[in-house]
Amino acid sequence: QHECVLADRVLDPASTVVAIFPSPMMYAGPTEVQWHAKARANAGAQFYIVGRDPAGMSHPAEDRNMFQNHHGRDVLSMAPGLPSLEILPFRVAAYHIASKKMDFFDPERADEFMFISGTKMRKYAKSGETPPVGFMCPSGWKVVSEFYQNKM
């Protein structure tokens, strides 16, 4: 899929580095946010984008996440030992219906956006459905869709 995104020039191949930082997800909440940030700083990273939630931990008894979207960012802003790392907050992206593309979500225009979660995307892929035009480049979607259809 990443090769398609570069070939279709969704991202500029001349200025895009595709790399994997192999670190398993431990689902440890805000503590894990610190681990990932410090590990990347030790590897030479200068910037760290804090995700929307600390590992998406579900509450054991209630239908909600254990932590708020800002907990990871809050923990890193207080963490000692990360002065060399510039923390960049994650901006929520969603599918903008009118422009038919992904865009940064604006809560004041919430009715103009559609959220396509990873779960919904996998459901589309498994069933052979096509997501809305502009959600992903067609060649990239073909790779994702074929992957999930072949897992069945």
Side-chain angles (χ1 to χ4, degrees):
Q1 176 194 10
H2 64 281
E3 291 172 354
C4 297
V5 170
L6 294 173
D8 288 356
R9 301 193 66 76
V10 174
L11 298 173
D12 177 17
S15 62
T16 302
V17 175
V18 179
I20 294 174
F21 187 87
S23 182
M25 186 66 68
M26 298 178 291
Y27 298 98
T31 303
E32 184 169 4
V33 173
Q34 292 178 67
W35 154 252
H36 284 282
K38 185 65 174 177
R40 283 161 178 78
N42 288 344
Q46 295 174 320
F47 304 96
Y48 184 69
I49 299 173
V50 181
R52 63 177 170 80
D53 62 60
M57 292 177 62
S58 296
H59 191 279
E62 300 172 18
D63 186 24
R64 65 177 181 85
N65 285 332
M66 284 281 291
F67 303 102
Q68 297 296 315
N69 293 346
H70 56 83
H71 278 147
R73 181 181 64 237
D74 292 352
V75 166
L76 288 181
S77 69
M78 297 180 282
L82 295 174
S84 63
L85 200 60
E86 183 177 344
I87 307 301
L88 304 174
F90 176 83
R91 290 182 62 196
V92 176
Y95 182 77
H96 188 254
I97 299 164
S99 65
K100 297 184 177 181
K101 66 177 187 175
M102 296 300 290
D103 202 350
F104 292 118
F105 177 68
D106 180 353
E108 294 188 16
R109 301 180 304 139
D111 58 333
E112 297 177 21
F113 291 88
M114 178 169 82
F115 284 97
I116 302 174
S117 66
T119 301
K120 185 183 281 189
M121 183 193 73
R122 287 185 294 276
K123 182 180 173 193
Y124 283 158
K126 286 176 189 174
S127 68
E129 271 185 81
T130 303
V133 172
F135 171 70
M136 186 183 294
C137 65
S139 63
W141 179 252
K142 183 174 186 269
V143 171
V144 171
S145 186
E146 287 175 357
F147 173 79
Y148 283 103
Q149 287 176 26
N150 290 328
K151 281 186 78 168
M152 298 170 92

